[in-house]
Amino acid sequence: QGQLVESGGGSVQAGGSLRLSCVASGFTYDRTCMGWFRQAPGKEREGVASIHIGGGSTAYTDSVKGRFFIAQNNAGNTLHLQMNSLKPEDTATYYCAASRTLRCLHYKLAPEVFDYWGQGTQVTVSS
């Protein structure tokens, strides 16, 4: 079974930056996409950014476009999320996820098409 381990969360003031990392290991089958999702208290989990592992195409939710950047290493087993110009509304638990299906190429930010999840890392942005 595959495992995803996130790191890099923390507390920062508005306008600051954080970089999240996710290491993938133990996957028997190839992953199609990886992505970052977040969930704030009382809210549903939402897709933040995703990347097609083979092709490199990316997708972002509108609220983070131009501020967040997703990238993978050459081996495709480490995922990063560079978060700049952070806002208090970015405060949430951030999860790394992986999908083995082709559905993630169409539903790029839909949590339901991602079948492996990390444990989450907390990001807190203060005003």
Side-chain angles (χ1 to χ4, degrees):
Q1 291 288 349
Q3 185 178 17
L4 302 171
V5 178
E6 304 103 333
S7 61
S11 297
V12 66
Q13 288 189 329
S17 298
L18 284 173
R19 186 177 190 234
L20 305 183
S21 297
C22 171
V23 177
S25 62
F27 282 85
T28 304
Y29 300 99
D30 290 340
R31 293 154 285 125
T32 304
C33 306
M34 290 189 70
W36 289 97
F37 296 78
R38 65 186 180 186
Q39 188 167 19
K43 295 188 177 181
E44 293 186 353
R45 188 169 298 189
E46 66 165 342
V48 176
S50 71
I51 186 167
H52 175 209
I53 294 175
S57 62
T58 58
Y60 297 91
T61 192
D62 286 346
S63 64
V64 308
K65 286 181 180 177
R67 300 189 298 123
F68 290 15
F69 301 94
I70 189 171
Q72 61 179 341
N73 68 344
N74 289 336
N77 59 4
T78 302
L79 188 71
H80 300 289
L81 184 69
Q82 178 66 41
M83 305 186 294
N84 302 323
S85 301
L86 283 160
K87 303 175 181 180
E89 50 264 44
D90 295 318
T91 295
T93 300
Y94 283 71
Y95 298 89
C96 174
S99 174
R100 297 173 299 165
T101 78
L102 296 177
R103 293 178 67 202
C104 68
L105 298 180
H106 300 281
Y107 306 103
K108 298 180 179 182
L109 297 176
E112 58 266 30
V113 307
F114 286 77
D115 43 5
Y116 287 90
W117 293 84
Q119 80 286 355
T121 185
Q122 179 66 35
V123 171
T124 302
V125 184
S126 58
S127 57

